[in-house]
C-alpha cells in the first residue's frame, strides 16, 4: 500500500472549509500599513525580505521590529553577521529606552538601570542577540543555536531576524565552490525558509540593492543584489527607499515587491516616519499617504507602469 497522502476533493470538503476559516497565527507589526498589506502580520513558516541600499535602514527596520515584538511579549532572536552584537543591542536600547543612540554614552548608570527595570516590568518578552563572523555561518549554525537556546536557556523564539542574508553561508554549497551568485543566494534563501518551516516561525532578513538600485529614487525586483533567486523564494519582499525629500520630512518609503499574503497592487507603496536617532519607525498622518498617491509616479519599472495605468480613467 502507498504511504502517499491524498485528498478527495468532494469527500474532504469539510476539512478544507475548516482550513480556509482557521485563523492563522501571525506576528503583528506595530506599523499600521505593514499590518494592512500582510493582513495582520507575518505568518509562521515564512521568509520575509527587506531590500535597501547601504545606509537606507535595513538594520534600523529590523531593530525597530525586534524591539516592538519584545515589548508585545514575544521571544525574539536577532542574528547579526554584519554588526557587532553590542552595536545591535545599542540600537535596540535606543529604541526601547527612548534615548538617542549618541546619548547612551553619557547617560548615568542609575537612570539607565531605572529605564531597564521599567522595561522589565512592562513585558514578558525576551530578546537575544547573537553575533557570527561575516560569511562564516548559515542555517546549520542557526539550527544548532536554536537547539542550544532551547536546552540551556529554555528560550524558543516566536520570530527570528537575520542581518543579513547575502553574508550567510550555504549549508549545501561549500565555501570556495565554483558556483554563481544566483545559485548561492537562492540556496541560502531556500535553507533559511526551510529553517522557518522547521522551527515554525517567521524569519525576517535583508538584502542589498544593486548599484543601479542604490542610486535610484525607486527600486524594483530587478534591483535585487546578486540573485533573482531570492525573490523567487521569499514569501514577502519589500524595498525601503530614501530620497533627499523624504529625509527632510523624516520619512522613508516602503514599496511592495512580492506578497504571498495579499494583493501587492492594493497598496503598492506607502511612507512611514523614521527617527534615526532613536532607531524608531512610526505611523505618519494619512495625509502623507494621500500626498504620495497623488504625486508623480517615481517608479520607472514595469511595476510603476502598472501603478500608473491603474490610475488612468477607464
Amino acid at each position: 500500500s502507498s504511504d502517499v497522502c491524498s485528498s478527495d476533493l468532494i469527500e474532504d470538503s469539510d476539512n478544507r472549509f475548516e482550513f480556509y476559516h482557521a485563523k492563522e497565527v501571525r506576528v503583528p507589526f506595530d506599523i499600521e500599513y505593514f499590518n494592512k498589506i500582510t493582513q495582520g502580520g507575518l505568518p509562521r513558516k515564512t521568509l520575509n525580505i527587506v531590500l535597501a541600499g547601504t545606509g537606507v535602514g535595513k538594520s534600523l527596520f529590523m531593530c525597530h521590529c525586534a524591539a516592538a515584538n519584545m515589548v508585545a511579549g514575544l521571544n525574539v532572536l536577532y542574528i547579526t553577521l554584519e554588526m557587532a552584537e553590542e552595536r545591535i543591542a545599542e540600537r535596540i536600547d535606543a529604541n526601547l529606552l527612548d534615548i538617542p543612540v549618541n546619548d547612551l554614552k553619557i547617560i548615568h548608570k542609575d537612570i539607565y538601570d531605572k529605564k531597564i527595570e521599567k522595561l522589565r516590568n512592562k513585558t514578558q518578552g525576551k530578546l537575544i542577540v547573537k553575533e557570527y563572523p561575516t560569511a562564516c555561518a548559515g542555517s546549520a549554525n542557526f539550527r544548532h543555536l536554536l537547539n542550544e537556546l532551547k536546552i540551556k536557556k529554555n528560550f524558543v523564539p516566536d520570530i527570528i531576524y537575520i542581518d543579513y542574508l547575502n553574508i550567510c553561508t550555504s549549508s549545501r554549497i561549500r565555501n570556495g565552490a565554483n558556483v554563481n551568485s544566483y545559485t548561492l543566494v537562492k540556496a541560502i534563501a531556500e535553507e533559511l525558509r526551510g529553517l522557518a518551516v522547521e522551527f515554525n516561525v517567521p524569519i525576517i532578513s535583508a538584502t542589498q540593492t544593486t548599484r543601479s538600485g542604490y542610486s535610484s529614487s525607486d527600486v524594483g525586483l530587478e534591483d535585487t543584489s546578486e540573485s533573482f533567486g531570492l525573490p523567487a523564494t521569499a514569501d514577502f519582499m519589500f524595498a525601503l527607499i530614501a530620497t533627499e525629500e523624504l529625509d527632510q520630512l523624516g520619512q522613508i518609503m516602503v514599496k511592495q515587491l512580492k506578497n504571498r499574503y495579499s494583493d501587492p497592487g492594493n497598496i503598492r507603496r506607502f511612507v512611514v516616519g523614521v527617527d534615526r536617532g532613536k532607531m524608531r519607525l512610526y505611523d505618519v498622518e494619512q495625509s502623507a499617504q494621500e500626498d504620495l498617491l497623488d504625486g508623480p509616479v517615481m517608479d520607472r519599472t514595469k511595476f510603476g507602469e502598472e501603478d500608473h495605468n491603474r490610475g488612468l480613467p477607464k
Side-chain angles (χ1 to χ4, degrees):
S1 66
S2 172
D3 290 331
V4 177
C5 293
S6 58
S7 177
D8 184 309
L9 200 72
I10 304 297
E11 298 303 322
D12 295 339
S13 59
D14 284 349
N15 291 337
R16 286 204 312 285
F17 183 84
E18 283 180 23
F19 172 77
Y20 298 150
H21 288 260
K23 189 163 177 64
E24 192 170 18
V25 176
R26 290 173 183 256
V27 175
F29 291 92
D30 69 334
I31 303 288
E32 179 191 3
Y33 266 77
F34 273 106
N35 283 326
K36 279 185 179 179
I37 64 174
T38 56
Q39 297 192 347
L42 301 177
R44 294 174 176 179
K45 304 182 181 182
T46 57
L47 178 63
N48 308 275
I49 300 294
V50 187
L51 169 67
T54 305
V56 171
K58 295 188 301 296
S59 295
L60 186 153
F61 174 85
M62 290 197 284
C63 286
H64 169 86
C65 290
N69 295 150
M70 193 196 89
V71 169
L74 300 178
N75 285 343
V76 184
L77 175 61
Y78 195 113
I79 294 169
T80 172
L81 295 96
E82 184 179 38
M83 263 186 263
E85 58 190 64
E86 292 83 4
R87 290 288 174 220
I88 295 296
E90 180 182 49
R91 287 166 169 233
I92 293 171
D93 263 349
N95 180 298
L96 290 171
L97 305 181
D98 195 28
I99 301 171
V101 170
N102 292 338
D103 289 358
L104 286 170
K105 296 177 177 64
I106 57 173
I107 188 173
H108 289 113
K109 180 72 163 64
D110 56 340
I111 298 172
Y112 177 78
D113 287 344
K114 279 180 186 173
K115 284 181 174 283
I116 289 290
E117 190 58 33
K118 188 177 176 183
L119 181 65
R120 183 180 284 115
N121 295 331
K122 194 165 77 170
T123 180
Q124 296 297 309
K126 286 185 177 178
L127 197 158
I128 290 178
V129 183
K130 173 65 178 176
E131 177 188 354
Y132 289 95
T134 299
C136 290
S139 62
N141 306 86
F142 306 152
R143 181 178 293 106
H144 177 73
L145 172 66
L146 285 158
N147 289 329
E148 200 172 50
L149 286 171
K150 185 175 182 180
I151 294 165
K152 293 183 179 176
K153 292 198 172 187
N154 196 28
F155 177 87
V156 177
D158 297 297
I159 187 165
I160 300 171
Y161 293 84
I162 299 174
D163 191 1
Y164 62 99
L165 186 140
N166 297 64
I167 52 177
C168 293
T169 56
S170 167
S171 300
R172 289 180 290 175
I173 300 170
R174 61 183 171 77
N175 278 345
N178 187 22
V179 295
N180 58 39
S181 61
Y182 175 94
T183 304
L184 180 61
V185 173
K186 189 168 192 296
I188 295 167
E190 287 170 350
E191 289 162 24
L192 293 186
R193 192 171 187 280
L195 198 71
V197 171
E198 183 182 342
F199 287 89
N200 195 33
V201 293
I203 288 180
I204 297 183
S205 192
T207 190
Q208 302 247 28
T209 57
T210 56
R211 286 188 181 181
S212 64
Y214 175 68
S215 60
S216 173
S217 63
D218 190 71
V219 176
L221 277 176
E222 63 274 23
D223 292 313
T224 307
S225 175
E226 297 182 299
S227 176
F228 204 77
L230 177 49
T233 307
D235 295 284
F236 176 50
M237 190 162 176
F238 60 92
L240 297 178
I241 300 164
T243 63
E244 280 185 25
E245 186 182 356
L246 286 167
D247 281 343
Q248 287 169 3
L249 294 169
Q251 295 173 354
I252 196 164
M253 187 190 294
V254 180
K255 179 187 171 191
Q256 292 196 68
L257 300 174
K258 179 182 179 181
N259 192 338
R260 284 180 177 159
Y261 314 140
S262 66
D263 178 10
N266 288 339
I267 305 172
R268 179 70 80 190
R269 58 170 75 78
F270 58 92
V271 290
V272 294
V274 57
D275 181 339
R276 292 186 184 274
K278 294 181 180 176
M279 295 291 154
R280 273 191 182 165
L281 301 173
Y282 54 89
D283 290 315
V284 295
E285 291 181 5
Q286 184 58 33
S287 59
Q289 311 295 355
E290 288 161 4
D291 291 345
L292 181 72
L293 296 174
D294 293 340
V297 175
M298 297 165 66
D299 192 345
R300 302 289 173 239
T301 68
K302 60 185 171 65
F303 295 107
E305 289 174 25
E306 288 169 16
D307 269 358
H308 180 67
N309 294 336
R310 196 177 286 113
L312 294 175
K314 297 289 186 283

